């Protein structure tokens, strides 16, 4: 599932390319992926509008129009956004196509069809997508030890579960919570209320460092992104623990282990991340 570094990569590569382009018409093969408003209203209101900037909020993409309206997109598990020449064959499971004034098409494909779009009118309240419930951005200066302690230090839940709580810190998922906890030398099942002041400080320092590192590793050009059809996430070779159960720890050589924490698989080093 795309997490903050992957969604940031999409924003950086597609945002500049679609800015200033006008939506000429829209093909909605799967209207159910449009959550708000109704699909026919969504298509009618967007036709003729011009793209402005693209932003990321947590794992969401915000596609702003020059009118002040904006689309919200959550890729969920398998969603993919691609800017392609009109004569390029569509990917299987392409559900929404925006035909643009440049002659290209902005296409959304999604194998599992969990991804969702919302169109929010300028000045309209936004209770639909969940963006308004998100916590702070992990790359912001607000994401510090004091903030984490204030919001999490009384919780008995595992620190891994706390990192996945989007209402506290937005954008961290299963992959990067494993990577963050490994770098912070914290066991994923450790109760949040057992962390010391030094451990909160260490965690607060590691969160932006690890996410920034993987954002950098995911950098790509428009040509490379198109060639890979939007699915070439480049961080995989740089992951230290996620998905590497049984492999040696890159720090101490101990075999990495996997356990389930809060219903999510978690890979960790039993030596470097002692409970």
């Amino acid at each position: 599932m795309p997490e903050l570094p992957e969604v940031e990569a999409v924003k950086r590569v597609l945002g500049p390319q679609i800015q200033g382009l006008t939506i000429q018409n829209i093909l909605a093969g799967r209207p159910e992926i449009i959550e708000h408003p109704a699909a026919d209203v969504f298509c009618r209101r967007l036709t003729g509008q011009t793209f402005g900037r693209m932003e990321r909020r947590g794992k969401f993409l915000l596609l702003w129009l020059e009118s002040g309206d904006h689309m919200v997109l959550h890729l969920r598990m398998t969603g993919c956004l691609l800017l392609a020449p009109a004569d390029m064959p569509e990917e299987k499971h392409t559900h929404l196509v925006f035909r643009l004034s440049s002659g290209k098409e902005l296409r959304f494909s999604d194998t599992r069809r969990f991804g969702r779009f919302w169109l929010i009118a300028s000045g309209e309240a936004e209770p639909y997508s969940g963006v308004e419930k998100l916590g702070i951005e992990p790359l912001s200066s607000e994401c510090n030890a004091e903030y984490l302690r204030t919001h999490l230090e009384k919780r008995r839940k595992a620190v891994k579960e706390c990192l996945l709580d989007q209402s506290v810190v937005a954008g961290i998922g299963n992959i990067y919570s494993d990577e963050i906890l490994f770098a912070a030398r914290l066991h994923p099942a450790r109760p949040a209320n057992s962390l010391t002041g030094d451990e909160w400080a260490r965690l607060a320092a590691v969160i932006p460092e690890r996410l920034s590192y993987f954002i950098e590793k995911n950098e790509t050009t428009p040509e490379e992104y198109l060639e890979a059809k939007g699915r070439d996430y480049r961080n995989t070779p740089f992951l230290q623990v996620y998905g590497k159960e049984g492999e040696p720890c890159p720090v101490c050589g101990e075999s990495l282990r996997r356990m389930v924490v809060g219903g999510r698989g978690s890979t960790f080093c039993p030596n470097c991340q002692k409970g």
Side-chain angles (χ1 to χ4, degrees):
M1 174 180 179
E3 298 180 22
L4 187 153
E6 289 77 35
V7 179
E8 181 70 19
V10 176
K11 183 204 82 172
R12 292 187 182 188
V13 76
L14 292 184
Q17 292 188 80
I18 66 171
Q19 189 169 20
L21 300 182
T22 299
I23 301 169
Q24 295 186 325
N25 57 68
I26 302 170
L27 302 178
R30 287 275 184 178
E32 65 268 25
I33 71 168
I34 300 168
E35 193 78 13
H36 172 82
D40 59 334
V41 178
F42 178 94
C43 295
R44 185 171 65 251
R45 279 173 42 187
L46 282 171
T47 299
Q49 293 222 47
T50 300
F51 281 113
R53 68 190 184 280
M54 187 185 294
E55 297 177 347
R56 179 196 54 75
R57 181 74 173 95
K59 301 177 191 177
F60 290 83
L61 283 170
L62 308 181
L63 292 81
W64 288 89
L65 291 308
E66 290 186 353
S67 66
D69 296 350
H70 70 281
M71 279 187 284
V72 180
L73 166 61
H74 200 303
L75 300 171
R76 299 281 168 82
M77 296 184 70
T78 57
C80 178
L81 199 60
L82 187 67
L83 183 67
D87 59 357
M88 179 176 171
E90 288 184 6
E91 288 295 284
K92 193 176 181 181
H93 307 295
T94 295
H95 306 312
L96 195 60
V97 177
F98 301 85
R99 291 177 172 166
L100 305 177
S101 54
S102 64
K104 292 186 176 182
E105 296 177 347
L106 186 64
R107 302 171 178 174
F108 177 73
S109 61
D110 189 357
T111 304
R112 302 189 69 174
R113 301 198 299 273
F114 292 157
R116 288 293 182 270
F117 281 83
W118 298 263
L119 174 60
I120 311 301
S122 178
E124 180 183 6
E126 212 281 73
Y128 310 106
S129 67
V131 167
E132 79 288 349
K133 297 178 181 179
L134 293 176
I136 63 171
E137 286 290 318
L139 300 177
S140 73
S141 60
E142 297 174 80
C143 189
N144 52 40
E146 181 182 359
Y147 175 87
L148 295 177
R149 288 189 68 170
T150 299
H151 288 79
L152 301 174
E153 70 173 347
K154 294 182 180 179
R155 297 192 182 185
R156 296 180 181 179
K157 283 187 175 182
V159 65
K160 163 90 179 222
E161 291 184 80
C162 292
L163 285 180
L164 298 179
D165 186 342
Q166 301 299 297
S167 70
V168 178
V169 179
I172 301 173
N174 207 37
I175 297 172
Y176 298 108
S177 58
D178 277 3
E179 295 296 310
I180 287 165
L181 291 171
F182 175 72
R185 306 189 303 279
L186 294 171
H187 193 283
R190 178 93 173 268
N193 64 1
S194 72
L195 268 62
T196 66
D198 287 345
E199 288 171 330
W200 285 118
R202 195 162 70 229
L203 182 60
V206 162
I207 288 172
E209 186 278 324
R210 286 289 81 191
L211 293 175
S212 296
Y213 173 81
F214 286 109
I215 288 172
E216 178 187 345
K217 295 304 179 187
N218 264 333
E219 283 186 358
T220 187
T221 66
E223 294 77 19
E224 291 167 338
Y225 185 86
L226 178 61
E227 184 179 359
K229 297 176 181 176
R231 300 185 184 277
D232 182 20
Y233 300 131
R234 301 177 166 219
N235 57 19
T236 304
F238 303 98
L239 296 171
Q240 293 190 293
V241 293
Y242 177 81
K244 297 181 181 291
E245 177 189 5
E247 296 184 23
C249 170
V251 173
C252 72
E254 182 81 17
S255 291
L256 298 174
R257 295 182 189 173
R258 183 181 182 276
M259 67 184 302
V260 177
V261 179
R264 307 296 295 274
S266 302
T267 309
F268 66 101
C269 174
N271 183 48
C272 296
Q273 298 168 263
K274 293 179 179 176

